[in-house]
Amino acid sequence: MLFKVEGEGDNGYTEFYETIDTILMGRRTYEWILEYMGRGAEFPYQGKECYVFSTTAHTPDSSVVFVQEDISSFIKKIENQPSKNIWLAGGGELIRSFLKEKLIDEMRITVAPVVIGKGISLFKPDDYHLELSLKQTKQYNQFVELHYEVKK
């Protein structure tokens, strides 16, 4: 459904992608990417540090590092490494954990003119509360990117 929406160019993806050097994602997001790209296809985040959070063991993959440790302790480790920006690419369970630990500084949310009544929710219900400050909006034809800073 979302892939049918008319955008503009790559909807700002390349510009955003060039600002990051570390990508974090959950296991289900990682597996969806592999399935979507097709087994054997080149992993789309080559050249970036890519970490996949999972509670299960995985076949080693030279494109990613699997993480089975607590999110807070992992973030403390990578905070000491030189890094431009970290992209929390998904999914909902991982985002919920980062929100609860107050580990998100900014959010870029792209809105498409499609209402989906079922599927995987971006923000899972839990005991967290964030206040945001709008930094910028950008329109890419039918998409609108909302760029927020998380108030501390």
Side-chain angles (χ1 to χ4, degrees):
M1 286 183 261
L2 292 177
F3 295 113
K4 294 178 184 177
V5 177
E6 207 176 303
E8 183 178 299
D10 66 1
N11 301 311
Y13 177 79
T14 300
E15 180 183 346
F16 166 74
Y17 189 73
E18 289 173 357
T19 68
I20 56 140
D21 62 353
T22 303
I23 301 167
L24 309 179
M25 69 181 69
R27 176 191 52 81
R28 286 185 286 218
T29 299
Y30 167 74
E31 289 175 353
W32 181 88
I33 289 168
L34 293 181
E35 186 176 315
Y36 179 76
M37 299 299 293
R39 300 279 174 188
E42 183 175 312
F43 191 65
Y45 306 127
Q46 296 292 340
K48 307 278 185 184
E49 292 290 322
C50 191
Y51 298 93
V52 176
F53 287 82
S54 178
T55 57
T56 58
H58 282 275
T59 306
D61 181 335
S62 62
S63 301
V64 302
V65 174
F66 291 100
V67 178
Q68 291 184 299
E69 67 185 278
D70 170 79
I71 288 172
S72 294
S73 54
F74 173 79
I75 291 299
K76 285 178 187 165
K77 275 194 244 178
I78 68 167
E79 281 179 333
N80 297 325
Q81 299 174 3
S83 173
K84 288 187 269 183
N85 286 310
I86 298 170
W87 175 24
L88 181 54
E93 293 296 329
L94 189 61
I95 291 170
R96 175 174 56 186
S97 298
F98 274 76
L99 289 170
K100 283 184 73 169
E101 297 294 325
K102 299 189 182 324
L103 294 171
I104 295 179
D105 299 323
E106 294 183 13
M107 288 190 189
R108 290 181 189 233
I109 301 169
T110 301
V111 179
V114 176
V115 177
I116 303 171
K118 63 180 180 177
I120 300 169
S121 184
L122 179 60
F123 299 109
K124 303 284 185 184
D126 210 324
D127 187 24
Y128 56 82
H129 175 86
L130 287 173
E131 292 187 25
L132 309 174
S133 175
L134 183 63
K135 287 180 73 169
Q136 184 176 19
T137 61
K138 289 185 179 177
Q139 182 175 350
Y140 302 99
N141 200 350
Q142 293 295 305
F143 291 94
V144 176
E145 179 188 83
L146 306 169
H147 184 180
Y148 290 100
E149 183 172 14
V150 176
K151 292 182 178 183
K152 297 292 176 178

